[in-house]
Amino acid sequence: MNKPLIQRVVATALAAALSTPALAHLGAADGSHVAHDTLDSFVSGWAHPFSGFDHLAAMVSVGLWSVLGSPARANSSATWSATWQQPVAFALTLLVGAIAGMAGLNLPGIEPMIAASLLVLGLMVAARSSWPAQASVALVAGFAFFHGLAHGQELHGDALATLAGMVLSTACLHVAGMGAGWAMRDAAHPVRRWMSRAVGAAVALFGLSLLAPAVAAVL
């Protein structure tokens, strides 16, 4: 998949997300996330990223892309260090967004942006696209802020415990994605190469299905 095509898809997805009002969120709060003490708050925060497949797929995809899109280097320790930049940026910005959401911040296009994140991250995984570190970190951080806003608007209880649980489970999902990425990293192995393409394509199609109304409006 050539880079100009990927860039056009990314631009279209972001334009659609930013121009569309919020959609119904998968796994929206229904009262089940209300926590009454520190332990319940921690458990609630831990479980929240698993409450919607959109969040779960995005977080795993960040881990996958951080490995599959990382260029091979002679220095393996440098490669390992570079793969952590995107997951760390996502987790930290997710935390910032969640705090903002819990404080009452609401922006238009939260749900379309989450859908766009799935489309874009899925394409990055499928293509094993390698971006400059600053660009890839900025991209995932931007998406993470909107994921965080969605979380923050739904979370209740002890704020510190809730946020700690959410960030910890997010990190675990990133690590799971990174582990899968290392298992599929060998591009010369046909099965592993096609596995990464299939996983990325599935995530991208899921994102596209959520974003389809917005894309149609933009086009």
Side-chain angles (χ1 to χ4, degrees):
M1 187 178 297
N2 58 57
K3 287 189 176 181
L5 176 59
I6 292 177
Q7 291 170 352
R8 288 197 295 271
V9 172
V10 171
T12 300
L14 294 180
L18 292 172
S19 64
T20 306
L23 303 175
H25 178 61
L26 296 181
D30 57 1
S32 61
H33 298 297
V34 177
H36 301 288
D37 55 35
T38 300
L39 180 59
D40 284 347
S41 295
F42 179 84
V43 172
S44 174
W46 166 272
H48 208 265
F50 298 92
S51 66
F53 186 69
D54 48 356
H55 290 307
L56 190 153
M59 293 169 185
V60 172
S61 294
V62 168
L64 280 167
W65 184 34
S66 71
V67 173
L68 296 176
S70 177
R73 294 184 176 90
N75 186 341
S76 59
S77 63
T79 301
W80 176 254
S81 176
T83 60
W84 284 98
Q85 295 180 25
Q86 294 174 26
V88 169
F90 190 101
L92 292 178
T93 315
L94 178 86
L95 176 60
V96 173
I99 292 172
M102 292 181 79
L105 178 64
N106 189 24
L107 296 177
I110 293 177
E111 304 306 330
M113 186 61 79
I114 290 174
S117 74
L118 295 172
L119 172 59
V120 173
L121 291 171
L123 289 175
M124 298 301 106
V125 171
R128 297 180 179 232
S129 183
S130 179
W131 281 23
Q134 291 183 339
S136 62
V137 165
L139 181 69
V140 299
F143 287 143
F145 185 76
F146 284 87
H147 279 270
L149 278 178
H151 283 309
Q153 292 170 1
E154 299 170 0
L155 293 172
H156 304 278
D158 184 315
L160 183 60
T162 301
L163 293 171
M166 183 194 68
V167 172
L168 182 59
S169 63
T170 296
C172 289
L173 289 171
H174 287 330
V175 170
M178 292 173 72
W182 283 109
M184 294 184 282
R185 184 173 168 82
D186 186 3
H189 193 291
V191 174
R192 295 178 183 178
R193 184 175 68 251
W194 283 105
M195 281 180 63
S196 64
R197 289 181 178 177
V199 171
V203 173
L205 288 173
F206 177 54
L208 183 60
S209 71
L210 299 177
L211 193 60
V215 172
V218 170
L219 297 178

